[in-house]
């Protein structure tokens, strides 16, 4: 848990400590982007890439049901 008004990469679980994610979190939001949603989208993209687009394996690695992953992929335009 963060004790500050800003969530810093160090506040996230170590499994989310991805170099690219860290650098993206340090960039100011553009055009009203929600930084939490942007981080979630990026994490999903990275996980899908890691498993070469295999949604079942990506969902398992993300700790979510395949239907939840599918819904989030649609939400973020990743389908």
């Amino acid at each position: 848990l963060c004790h500050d008004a800003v969530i810093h990469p160090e506040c996230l679980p170590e499994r989310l400590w991805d170099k690219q994610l860290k650098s993206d979190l340090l960039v100011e939001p553009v055009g009203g982007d929600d930084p939490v949603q942007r981080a979630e989208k990026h994490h999903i993209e990275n996980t899908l890439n890691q498993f070469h687009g295999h949604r079942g394996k990506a969902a398992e690695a993300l700790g979510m049901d395949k239907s939840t992953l599918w819904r989030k992929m649609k939400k973020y335009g990743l389908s």
Side-chain angles (χ1 to χ4, degrees):
L1 298 174
C2 287
H3 299 286
D4 195 358
V6 177
I7 298 174
H8 299 282
E10 302 83 43
C11 297
L12 299 172
E14 285 189 42
R15 65 183 175 85
L16 298 180
W17 287 13
D18 175 285
K19 288 179 186 176
Q20 186 63 45
L21 178 61
K22 277 186 183 179
S23 66
D24 283 355
L25 289 174
L26 297 175
V27 175
E28 289 294 318
V30 179
D33 250 356
D34 178 0
V36 173
Q37 289 185 1
R38 189 170 48 159
E40 181 179 53
K41 176 183 177 184
H42 188 78
H43 186 54
I44 290 171
E45 283 179 311
N46 282 346
T47 305
L48 285 165
N49 288 335
Q50 179 182 349
F51 292 101
H52 307 288
H54 192 285
R55 289 187 296 246
K57 290 179 181 180
E60 185 177 334
L62 290 165
M64 64 178 70
D65 190 76
K66 287 186 286 187
S67 62
T68 302
L69 176 59
W70 177 251
R71 184 175 33 83
K72 289 179 182 281
M73 287 173 64
K74 285 179 65 175
K75 174 181 177 180
Y76 296 126
L78 301 173
S79 46

